[in-house]
Amino acid sequence: MRRRPASPSIVYKYYGPERADVFRSFRVRFSQLGALNDPFEFLVQARPGELRRGAQRMAGRMSNPFSLIGMGVWAAFKGVRENGQLKTLAWPVRMIALAVVLPLAILMTLLLGPFIAKTMRKVMAAAADEFEVLLLEQVRRGLVLVFSCSEAWASVPMWAHYAGNHTGFTIGLDPASAFPNPNPKSDKRFLPALKVKYVRRQPRISMSDMDTSNFLTAKMDHWAYEKEWRFLNMPDGAAQRGVVVNGHELLLFNFRPDAIREVVLGANCAAETVATILDAIAEADLKLDLFQVKRSAGYGFERIRIRSLEDLQVETSPGGIVRDLREMKFERMEAAFDDFQKDASEDRIARWLRNVSERS
């Protein structure tokens, strides 16, 4: 089993200004795989019949004598432990019952071995066919949902593509506590963040290695700049179901407000957007760090911590649109020209040249 990479302390979700309401609803969309912006994602490669052959080999390993003996031991132990009448007896009596049942269970399992092996091969082969033809397609259509984040707040393409050219913002979430696990039987309280692998070749999948990360967390290396981490979920846990967008239902899931660690405002974030975000943060009494992106010395940008309203640099709505270059006013140039004319009127040589020009 591959060891899962440790997630960063904060992952960032980029949003445009229209999603400032997220600080009031605390709900985000988990998207169907087929609704993402890369149509070549989640396509896996498998040679014809490879999954079926792998499934039959797996069935053979599971039905060998040692595996059958193990199955018999487990069946005997489970039967004695869950028997209602034996539960009321003292443990020595239950141990005697187990000693009697155990050899019989092992013998029955071995006698039924050929039938079990045949059935398992048939079932596993059918499962492989279903997986290859049907399940992968269902996964793309919405059986598994994705919420994508980035480990980087300072990605120029991400600000352009997902945050409205710096008019939006990013939310910095604690990946270890952002999304409660909807599965009550799971030993994990929260959904884990999975690191995306950027690959040059199409992922392969086989029944001998059913690691879903081969195709659920693999993308073309063209997307490496995103430095993506993603959360996977199932549609049953949706807190809100919305309209169908481009053939995919809008599914919103709750996240924990106290998982918000940072908010980074874009360099061109409008005053209205900033006011909406600050009001919502204050109303929810969120304890977080607030930053804003600004141009740094040289060719780049940085983020500054916002401690008061005086630290904010916001864009107000423009008063008008210049439709013709002749309408533009170059105030500094006009002022410099006025100064030149004033200096020329006071300069002796300039006055003499002007007089000579006027006489001629």
PDB file of all heavy atoms in Angstrom, residues 262-281:
ATOM      1  N   GLU A 262      -7.447  31.455   6.427  1.00  0.00           N
ATOM      2  CA  GLU A 262      -7.037  32.686   5.769  1.00  0.00           C
ATOM      3  C   GLU A 262      -8.053  33.072   4.695  1.00  0.00           C
ATOM      4  O   GLU A 262      -8.760  32.209   4.157  1.00  0.00           O
ATOM      5  CB  GLU A 262      -5.673  32.523   5.075  1.00  0.00           C
ATOM      6  CG  GLU A 262      -4.520  32.198   5.978  1.00  0.00           C
ATOM      7  CD  GLU A 262      -3.228  31.994   5.207  1.00  0.00           C
ATOM      8  OE1 GLU A 262      -3.249  32.090   3.960  1.00  0.00           O
ATOM      9  OE2 GLU A 262      -2.198  31.737   5.845  1.00  0.00           O
ATOM     10  N   VAL A 263      -8.079  34.350   4.406  1.00  0.00           N
ATOM     11  CA  VAL A 263      -8.770  34.873   3.225  1.00  0.00           C
ATOM     12  C   VAL A 263      -7.807  35.841   2.552  1.00  0.00           C
ATOM     13  O   VAL A 263      -7.264  36.737   3.211  1.00  0.00           O
ATOM     14  CB  VAL A 263     -10.085  35.588   3.581  1.00  0.00           C
ATOM     15  CG1 VAL A 263     -10.681  36.252   2.349  1.00  0.00           C
ATOM     16  CG2 VAL A 263     -11.080  34.611   4.182  1.00  0.00           C
ATOM     17  N   VAL A 264      -7.583  35.637   1.252  1.00  0.00           N
ATOM     18  CA  VAL A 264      -6.688  36.507   0.493  1.00  0.00           C
ATOM     19  C   VAL A 264      -7.518  37.221  -0.573  1.00  0.00           C
ATOM     20  O   VAL A 264      -8.086  36.568  -1.451  1.00  0.00           O
ATOM     21  CB  VAL A 264      -5.543  35.712  -0.166  1.00  0.00           C
ATOM     22  CG1 VAL A 264      -4.567  36.658  -0.855  1.00  0.00           C
ATOM     23  CG2 VAL A 264      -4.811  34.850   0.858  1.00  0.00           C
ATOM     24  N   LEU A 265      -7.581  38.540  -0.474  1.00  0.00           N
ATOM     25  CA  LEU A 265      -8.331  39.342  -1.434  1.00  0.00           C
ATOM     26  C   LEU A 265      -7.473  39.624  -2.655  1.00  0.00           C
ATOM     27  O   LEU A 265      -6.266  39.874  -2.537  1.00  0.00           O
ATOM     28  CB  LEU A 265      -8.769  40.659  -0.792  1.00  0.00           C
ATOM     29  CG  LEU A 265      -9.599  40.555   0.495  1.00  0.00           C
ATOM     30  CD1 LEU A 265      -9.811  41.938   1.085  1.00  0.00           C
ATOM     31  CD2 LEU A 265     -10.921  39.867   0.229  1.00  0.00           C
ATOM     32  N   GLY A 266      -8.086  39.605  -3.827  1.00  0.00           N
ATOM     33  CA  GLY A 266      -7.353  39.883  -5.057  1.00  0.00           C
ATOM     34  C   GLY A 266      -6.927  41.340  -5.148  1.00  0.00           C
ATOM     35  O   GLY A 266      -7.494  42.223  -4.485  1.00  0.00           O
ATOM     36  N   ALA A 267      -5.942  41.597  -5.985  1.00  0.00           N
ATOM     37  CA  ALA A 267      -5.423  42.957  -6.137  1.00  0.00           C
ATOM     38  C   ALA A 267      -6.470  43.901  -6.692  1.00  0.00           C
ATOM     39  O   ALA A 267      -6.438  45.104  -6.414  1.00  0.00           O
ATOM     40  CB  ALA A 267      -4.196  42.936  -7.040  1.00  0.00           C
ATOM     41  N   ASN A 268      -7.414  43.403  -7.490  1.00  0.00           N
ATOM     42  CA  ASN A 268      -8.454  44.236  -8.101  1.00  0.00           C
ATOM     43  C   ASN A 268      -9.819  44.017  -7.465  1.00  0.00           C
ATOM     44  O   ASN A 268     -10.849  44.267  -8.102  1.00  0.00           O
ATOM     45  CB  ASN A 268      -8.538  43.961  -9.603  1.00  0.00           C
ATOM     46  CG  ASN A 268      -7.251  44.309 -10.321  1.00  0.00           C
ATOM     47  OD1 ASN A 268      -6.566  45.258  -9.952  1.00  0.00           O
ATOM     48  ND2 ASN A 268      -6.919  43.533 -11.345  1.00  0.00           N
ATOM     49  N   CYS A 269      -9.834  43.540  -6.242  1.00  0.00           N
ATOM     50  CA  CYS A 269     -11.094  43.250  -5.557  1.00  0.00           C
ATOM     51  C   CYS A 269     -11.867  44.550  -5.343  1.00  0.00           C
ATOM     52  O   CYS A 269     -11.343  45.522  -4.780  1.00  0.00           O
ATOM     53  CB  CYS A 269     -10.796  42.571  -4.220  1.00  0.00           C
ATOM     54  SG  CYS A 269     -12.153  41.579  -3.592  1.00  0.00           S
ATOM     55  N   ALA A 270     -13.112  44.593  -5.794  1.00  0.00           N
ATOM     56  CA  ALA A 270     -13.915  45.816  -5.728  1.00  0.00           C
ATOM     57  C   ALA A 270     -14.367  46.092  -4.300  1.00  0.00           C
ATOM     58  O   ALA A 270     -14.460  45.196  -3.461  1.00  0.00           O
ATOM     59  CB  ALA A 270     -15.133  45.694  -6.646  1.00  0.00           C
ATOM     60  N   ALA A 271     -14.685  47.361  -4.050  1.00  0.00           N
ATOM     61  CA  ALA A 271     -15.108  47.765  -2.712  1.00  0.00           C
ATOM     62  C   ALA A 271     -16.360  47.020  -2.276  1.00  0.00           C
ATOM     63  O   ALA A 271     -16.501  46.635  -1.107  1.00  0.00           O
ATOM     64  CB  ALA A 271     -15.342  49.280  -2.686  1.00  0.00           C
ATOM     65  N   GLU A 272     -17.289  46.797  -3.222  1.00  0.00           N
ATOM     66  CA  GLU A 272     -18.521  46.088  -2.875  1.00  0.00           C
ATOM     67  C   GLU A 272     -18.232  44.654  -2.436  1.00  0.00           C
ATOM     68  O   GLU A 272     -18.829  44.152  -1.474  1.00  0.00           O
ATOM     69  CB  GLU A 272     -19.478  46.078  -4.069  1.00  0.00           C
ATOM     70  CG  GLU A 272     -19.963  47.450  -4.509  1.00  0.00           C
ATOM     71  CD  GLU A 272     -18.990  48.162  -5.433  1.00  0.00           C
ATOM     72  OE1 GLU A 272     -17.878  47.633  -5.664  1.00  0.00           O
ATOM     73  OE2 GLU A 272     -19.339  49.241  -5.919  1.00  0.00           O
ATOM     74  N   THR A 273     -17.317  43.993  -3.128  1.00  0.00           N
ATOM     75  CA  THR A 273     -16.962  42.618  -2.769  1.00  0.00           C
ATOM     76  C   THR A 273     -16.290  42.574  -1.407  1.00  0.00           C
ATOM     77  O   THR A 273     -16.598  41.717  -0.567  1.00  0.00           O
ATOM     78  CB  THR A 273     -16.032  42.009  -3.829  1.00  0.00           C
ATOM     79  OG1 THR A 273     -16.653  42.095  -5.115  1.00  0.00           O
ATOM     80  CG2 THR A 273     -15.725  40.559  -3.517  1.00  0.00           C
ATOM     81  N   VAL A 274     -15.367  43.494  -1.172  1.00  0.00           N
ATOM     82  CA  VAL A 274     -14.669  43.545   0.111  1.00  0.00           C
ATOM     83  C   VAL A 274     -15.656  43.778   1.246  1.00  0.00           C
ATOM     84  O   VAL A 274     -15.595  43.117   2.292  1.00  0.00           O
ATOM     85  CB  VAL A 274     -13.586  44.643   0.100  1.00  0.00           C
ATOM     86  CG1 VAL A 274     -12.978  44.811   1.492  1.00  0.00           C
ATOM     87  CG2 VAL A 274     -12.503  44.305  -0.908  1.00  0.00           C
ATOM     88  N   ALA A 275     -16.584  44.712   1.052  1.00  0.00           N
ATOM     89  CA  ALA A 275     -17.569  45.006   2.097  1.00  0.00           C
ATOM     90  C   ALA A 275     -18.428  43.786   2.404  1.00  0.00           C
ATOM     91  O   ALA A 275     -18.704  43.478   3.573  1.00  0.00           O
ATOM     92  CB  ALA A 275     -18.435  46.182   1.664  1.00  0.00           C
ATOM     93  N   THR A 276     -18.851  43.070   1.360  1.00  0.00           N
ATOM     94  CA  THR A 276     -19.663  41.866   1.558  1.00  0.00           C
ATOM     95  C   THR A 276     -18.900  40.814   2.360  1.00  0.00           C
ATOM     96  O   THR A 276     -19.442  40.208   3.296  1.00  0.00           O
ATOM     97  CB  THR A 276     -20.089  41.283   0.204  1.00  0.00           C
ATOM     98  OG1 THR A 276     -20.845  42.246  -0.523  1.00  0.00           O
ATOM     99  CG2 THR A 276     -20.917  40.022   0.395  1.00  0.00           C
ATOM    100  N   ILE A 277     -17.639  40.613   2.022  1.00  0.00           N
ATOM    101  CA  ILE A 277     -16.827  39.604   2.707  1.00  0.00           C
ATOM    102  C   ILE A 277     -16.580  40.006   4.155  1.00  0.00           C
ATOM    103  O   ILE A 277     -16.748  39.191   5.090  1.00  0.00           O
ATOM    104  CB  ILE A 277     -15.496  39.392   1.966  1.00  0.00           C
ATOM    105  CG1 ILE A 277     -15.754  38.762   0.598  1.00  0.00           C
ATOM    106  CG2 ILE A 277     -14.539  38.528   2.785  1.00  0.00           C
ATOM    107  CD1 ILE A 277     -14.515  38.641  -0.267  1.00  0.00           C
ATOM    108  N   LEU A 278     -16.205  41.284   4.397  1.00  0.00           N
ATOM    109  CA  LEU A 278     -15.911  41.724   5.762  1.00  0.00           C
ATOM    110  C   LEU A 278     -17.157  41.672   6.644  1.00  0.00           C
ATOM    111  O   LEU A 278     -17.083  41.287   7.815  1.00  0.00           O
ATOM    112  CB  LEU A 278     -15.337  43.138   5.726  1.00  0.00           C
ATOM    113  CG  LEU A 278     -13.967  43.301   5.053  1.00  0.00           C
ATOM    114  CD1 LEU A 278     -13.474  44.733   5.171  1.00  0.00           C
ATOM    115  CD2 LEU A 278     -12.947  42.343   5.666  1.00  0.00           C
ATOM    116  N   ASP A 279     -18.309  42.057   6.090  1.00  0.00           N
ATOM    117  CA  ASP A 279     -19.551  41.989   6.872  1.00  0.00           C
ATOM    118  C   ASP A 279     -19.866  40.554   7.265  1.00  0.00           C
ATOM    119  O   ASP A 279     -20.270  40.283   8.406  1.00  0.00           O
ATOM    120  CB  ASP A 279     -20.709  42.574   6.064  1.00  0.00           C
ATOM    121  CG  ASP A 279     -20.633  44.089   5.954  1.00  0.00           C
ATOM    122  OD1 ASP A 279     -19.853  44.699   6.711  1.00  0.00           O
ATOM    123  OD2 ASP A 279     -21.332  44.656   5.089  1.00  0.00           O
ATOM    124  N   ALA A 280     -19.716  39.622   6.330  1.00  0.00           N
ATOM    125  CA  ALA A 280     -20.019  38.220   6.607  1.00  0.00           C
ATOM    126  C   ALA A 280     -19.045  37.645   7.639  1.00  0.00           C
ATOM    127  O   ALA A 280     -19.448  36.879   8.528  1.00  0.00           O
ATOM    128  CB  ALA A 280     -19.971  37.398   5.323  1.00  0.00           C
ATOM    129  N   ILE A 281     -17.760  37.990   7.522  1.00  0.00           N
ATOM    130  CA  ILE A 281     -16.764  37.510   8.486  1.00  0.00           C
ATOM    131  C   ILE A 281     -17.090  38.011   9.890  1.00  0.00           C
ATOM    132  O   ILE A 281     -17.027  37.264  10.870  1.00  0.00           O
ATOM    133  CB  ILE A 281     -15.353  37.949   8.056  1.00  0.00           C
ATOM    134  CG1 ILE A 281     -14.926  37.185   6.806  1.00  0.00           C
ATOM    135  CG2 ILE A 281     -14.344  37.721   9.181  1.00  0.00           C
ATOM    136  CD1 ILE A 281     -13.597  37.641   6.241  1.00  0.00           C
TER     137      ILE A 281
END
